[in-house]
mmCIF file of all heavy atoms in Angstrom:
data_model
loop_
_atom_site.group_PDB
_atom_site.id
_atom_site.type_symbol
_atom_site.label_atom_id
_atom_site.label_comp_id
_atom_site.label_asym_id
_atom_site.label_seq_id
_atom_site.Cartn_x
_atom_site.Cartn_y
_atom_site.Cartn_z
ATOM 1 N N ARG A 55 11.770 17.293 8.545
ATOM 2 C CA ARG A 55 12.549 18.363 9.107
ATOM 3 C C ARG A 55 11.719 18.887 10.274
ATOM 4 O O ARG A 55 10.511 19.044 10.178
ATOM 5 C CB ARG A 55 12.794 19.460 8.059
ATOM 6 C CG ARG A 55 13.735 20.568 8.591
ATOM 7 C CD ARG A 55 14.363 21.335 7.431
ATOM 8 N NE ARG A 55 13.359 21.867 6.499
ATOM 9 C CZ ARG A 55 13.649 22.284 5.273
ATOM 10 N NH1 ARG A 55 14.892 22.251 4.832
ATOM 11 N NH2 ARG A 55 12.666 22.792 4.492
ATOM 12 N N PHE A 56 12.404 19.168 11.395
ATOM 13 C CA PHE A 56 11.730 19.688 12.625
ATOM 14 C C PHE A 56 12.228 21.082 12.907
ATOM 15 O O PHE A 56 13.381 21.434 12.606
ATOM 16 C CB PHE A 56 12.021 18.701 13.804
ATOM 17 C CG PHE A 56 11.698 17.287 13.492
ATOM 18 C CD1 PHE A 56 12.699 16.372 13.082
ATOM 19 C CD2 PHE A 56 10.430 16.800 13.627
ATOM 20 C CE1 PHE A 56 12.394 15.080 12.836
ATOM 21 C CE2 PHE A 56 10.090 15.468 13.346
ATOM 22 C CZ PHE A 56 11.110 14.601 12.946
ATOM 23 N N ARG A 57 11.444 21.811 13.603
ATOM 24 C CA ARG A 57 11.910 23.130 14.081
ATOM 25 C C ARG A 57 11.186 23.496 15.358
ATOM 26 O O ARG A 57 10.044 23.099 15.575
ATOM 27 C CB ARG A 57 11.638 24.217 13.027
ATOM 28 C CG ARG A 57 10.193 24.648 12.895
ATOM 29 C CD ARG A 57 10.073 25.787 11.900
ATOM 30 N NE ARG A 57 8.705 26.218 11.765
ATOM 31 C CZ ARG A 57 8.233 27.168 10.947
ATOM 32 N NH1 ARG A 57 9.090 27.787 10.140
ATOM 33 N NH2 ARG A 57 6.942 27.506 10.971
ATOM 34 N N ASP A 58 11.991 24.176 16.208
ATOM 35 C CA ASP A 58 11.309 24.907 17.357
ATOM 36 C C ASP A 58 11.572 26.318 17.149
ATOM 37 O O ASP A 58 10.917 26.923 16.292
ATOM 38 C CB ASP A 58 11.904 24.366 18.674
ATOM 39 C CG ASP A 58 13.423 24.186 18.643
ATOM 40 O OD1 ASP A 58 14.072 24.850 17.815
ATOM 41 O OD2 ASP A 58 13.955 23.458 19.498
ATOM 42 N N ASN A 59 12.525 26.890 17.770
ATOM 43 C CA ASN A 59 12.922 28.263 17.414
ATOM 44 C C ASN A 59 14.028 28.288 16.358
ATOM 45 O O ASN A 59 14.411 29.305 15.895
ATOM 46 C CB ASN A 59 13.363 29.052 18.655
ATOM 47 C CG ASN A 59 12.181 29.322 19.589
ATOM 48 O OD1 ASN A 59 11.044 29.437 19.109
ATOM 49 N ND2 ASN A 59 12.434 29.393 20.881
ATOM 50 N N PHE A 60 14.504 27.069 16.101
ATOM 51 C CA PHE A 60 15.601 26.943 15.123
ATOM 52 C C PHE A 60 15.233 25.733 14.180
ATOM 53 O O PHE A 60 14.639 24.753 14.548
ATOM 54 C CB PHE A 60 16.922 26.678 15.767
ATOM 55 C CG PHE A 60 17.314 27.770 16.764
ATOM 56 C CD1 PHE A 60 17.021 27.628 18.090
ATOM 57 C CD2 PHE A 60 17.996 28.916 16.351
ATOM 58 C CE1 PHE A 60 17.394 28.628 19.027
ATOM 59 C CE2 PHE A 60 18.334 29.923 17.232
ATOM 60 C CZ PHE A 60 18.049 29.786 18.583
ATOM 61 N N ASP A 61 15.645 25.851 12.934
ATOM 62 C CA ASP A 61 15.518 24.747 12.027
ATOM 63 C C ASP A 61 16.512 23.676 12.325
ATOM 64 O O ASP A 61 17.610 23.933 12.846
ATOM 65 C CB ASP A 61 15.698 25.174 10.560
ATOM 66 C CG ASP A 61 14.547 26.019 10.052
ATOM 67 O OD1 ASP A 61 13.496 25.883 10.627
ATOM 68 O OD2 ASP A 61 14.735 26.763 9.073
ATOM 69 N N THR A 62 16.197 22.381 12.080
ATOM 70 C CA THR A 62 17.065 21.260 12.330
ATOM 71 C C THR A 62 17.471 20.686 10.994
ATOM 72 O O THR A 62 16.908 21.016 9.914
ATOM 73 C CB THR A 62 16.348 20.187 13.123
ATOM 74 O OG1 THR A 62 15.286 19.620 12.323
ATOM 75 C CG2 THR A 62 15.734 20.718 14.423
ATOM 76 N N PRO A 63 18.442 19.800 10.971
ATOM 77 C CA PRO A 63 18.839 19.155 9.701
ATOM 78 C C PRO A 63 17.697 18.327 9.188
ATOM 79 O O PRO A 63 16.697 18.050 9.930
ATOM 80 C CB PRO A 63 20.047 18.272 10.145
ATOM 81 C CG PRO A 63 20.538 18.834 11.405
ATOM 82 C CD PRO A 63 19.351 19.474 12.079
ATOM 83 N N VAL A 64 17.851 17.854 7.995
ATOM 84 C CA VAL A 64 16.830 16.998 7.386
ATOM 85 C C VAL A 64 17.127 15.566 7.706
ATOM 86 O O VAL A 64 18.276 15.115 7.629
ATOM 87 C CB VAL A 64 16.830 17.135 5.881
ATOM 88 C CG1 VAL A 64 15.847 16.167 5.200
ATOM 89 C CG2 VAL A 64 16.398 18.585 5.483
#
Side-chain angles (χ1 to χ4, degrees):
R55 186 159 55 195
F56 307 97
R57 74 175 181 185
D58 45 22
N59 291 329
F60 302 94
D61 288 339
T62 67
V64 174

